[in-house]
Amino acid sequence: MIGAPVEEIVLAPERTAPKTSSGKIRRSSAKELYKAGSLGASQRALWRQMLRLSLDGLAPQITRLTALLRETLYASWWWIVVESSSLLAWLAVMTLPRLDWRWRAVRSIARTALASVAAPVTIVGLKVAPRGNAMFVFNHSSYMDAVVLAAVLPGEPAYVAKSELAEQFFAGPFLRRLGALFVNRYDVGGVAFDIEAILAAASSGRNLVFFPEGTFTRRAGLSDFYLGAFKVAAIAGLPIFPGILRGTRSMLRSDQWFPRWTPLSVQIESAIKPSGTDFASLAQLRDAVRDVVLAHCGEPDLGQLAKPEPTRSAA
């Protein structure tokens, strides 16, 4: 077209020039092939191309299968350790005559179980907490919460558990032998029926342990706190140490029986003291403790999310 001689003529086989799906020649791609010296190079056989594609797709499949096998083996080992440790702890608690001996056995078994499943536990702030006459309030995320706290908390802590557990065949006697206390988590006034036993445990030099959410769910987030724990603290004059558990929900979620490896942590924050026993003071104490837990648990505020949006007047 411009009257100049061509620099080179390449005699190439069919299907050498790259094309688009509409059949237009991709001249820029042909130029790149020419500059690379691969224009007109013989193409691989179809079966070789298919084999290469299959092998390329096989590597990710092998990686996924290896990961699934590794997770399955870990979950199987996890359950072997947990079930055998639970049985050993139950036998020790039901046979040992003294409360401090039972707690020492449970603490040793819990620590051994966590080490056996290679779950590292980071502990922050526990040294500033007293060994008695105080209350610990923790977020509740998993069945593993009790195991982690049993391995970490010193002395003979008095767990305040929901009354439904007292009627279970294995859990009821086990918890009673550990000095656990039972309350109706839905009845704020009903906690008065157990207040004497709770106050007696606190006055005997034991730390009270509450999960004021009352239960846990698969969904991540901090739910609202019931007032019962804060009523007890106010009546007994106990300082409340907000406690934060992290990692337990990821290890074993609610309604899920496939555990996964994850690091765990227990964090104890500075004490918050009750200012009164009236409802306003209890609500203020509850909100103050919950704000501390929410700020460190790394999960969303389910209580806040559950509240309806304020409506605007059409003024």
Side-chain angles (χ1 to χ4, degrees), residues 52-68:
R52 181 179 60 82
L53 291 175
S54 300
L55 292 177
D56 290 342
L58 186 61
Q61 294 290 342
I62 293 176
T63 301
R64 284 192 291 268
L65 289 175
T66 302
L68 178 61

